[in-house]
Amino acid sequence: MTYMIEGGSSSTMAQAKRWLYQRPKASHQLLRILTDALVPYLVGQVVAGAQALQLFESHAGHLGPLLFSKFALPYIRDVAKRVKARLQEAGLAPVPMIIFAKDGHFALEELAQAGYEVVGLDWTVAPQKARERVGKNVTLQGNLDPCALYAPEEEIGRLVRQMLDDFGPQRYIANLGHGLYPDMDPEHVGTFVDAVHRYSRVLRQN
């Protein structure tokens, strides 16, 4: 929705947020249209062989708690509910669903109860604090700062080990806290993946 209204990227999303304040009914109408398009698309991904689905709310941090609860969370919940219902109706096996709301740390409890098996975390959230807030029944994913991949390979290994120690071995998927950047060295990405595998084996043994 933000890109449709803004016409491109924005550091403030001011025009999109202006819509939310000045045109709330039209905003909900557009969000419903987008949700209606998104649900069959996600189901189609499973039909094509996807083994997991991740929904991004990349601009949660621009909304804050009030706007997020009003204009994002209801549709996040609706996507999960409808995708799972459609899969069941089609006789397809359910797949894990992941919700990632960047900078949405203020809504961790709500996201943990939104119908997703996994909550993704960006790098600004402390793993132990997140676990305390979401409980033991939700899997967490994340959350190394992507810019850590600019570090020397030895430092990447150290940071990965710290991340895995902070999350612990249960109900956790190791990942970055956001996406890769175009200028990142693929060798350092490989170092990250190798370190995750290596230290995960150590954690399981202990």
Side-chain angles (χ1 to χ4, degrees), residues 2 10-14 16-17 20-21 57-65 67-68 102-104 106:
T2 58
S10 167
S11 61
T12 63
M13 298 297 165
K17 291 177 69 176
L20 301 181
Y21 284 112
E57 177 46 91
S58 297
H59 302 304
H62 286 286
L63 295 175
L67 291 180
F68 184 83
K102 187 175 182 295
D103 296 323
F106 50 80

Side-chain angles (χ1 to χ4, degrees), residues 105-192:
H105 48 82
F106 50 80
L108 283 180
E109 293 87 350
E110 291 84 354
L111 291 168
Q113 299 175 28
Y116 296 76
E117 287 72 33
V118 183
V119 175
L121 304 176
D122 63 50
W123 68 94
T124 66
V125 182
Q128 301 97 325
K129 296 292 186 183
R131 176 56 71 194
E132 290 173 6
R133 291 175 60 188
V134 305
K136 298 179 179 179
N137 296 324
V138 174
T139 297
L140 293 176
Q141 175 179 276
N143 69 336
L144 189 69
D145 182 354
C147 288
L149 298 189
Y150 292 126
E153 293 187 3
E154 183 177 340
E155 176 67 3
I156 293 172
R158 188 192 70 78
L159 292 169
V160 166
R161 184 164 193 166
Q162 181 64 58
M163 177 181 72
L164 267 62
D165 285 341
D166 289 344
F167 277 101
Q170 302 299 319
R171 290 194 176 274
Y172 170 58
I173 301 171
N175 201 351
L176 299 174
H178 203 236
L180 296 169
Y181 304 135
D183 64 345
M184 287 180 167
D185 186 344
E187 293 295 326
H188 284 211
V189 179
T191 297
F192 168 75

Side-chain angles (χ1 to χ4, degrees), residues 9 14 24 28 30 32 40 50 63 73-74 79 97 104 111 120 129-130 144-145 160 184 188 193-194 205:
S9 60
H28 281 297
L30 179 52
R32 283 192 293 270
L63 295 175
L73 191 58
V79 167
M97 294 188 68
L111 291 168
K129 296 292 186 183
L144 189 69
D145 182 354
V160 166
M184 287 180 167
H188 284 211
V193 174
D194 290 343
Q205 289 170 0

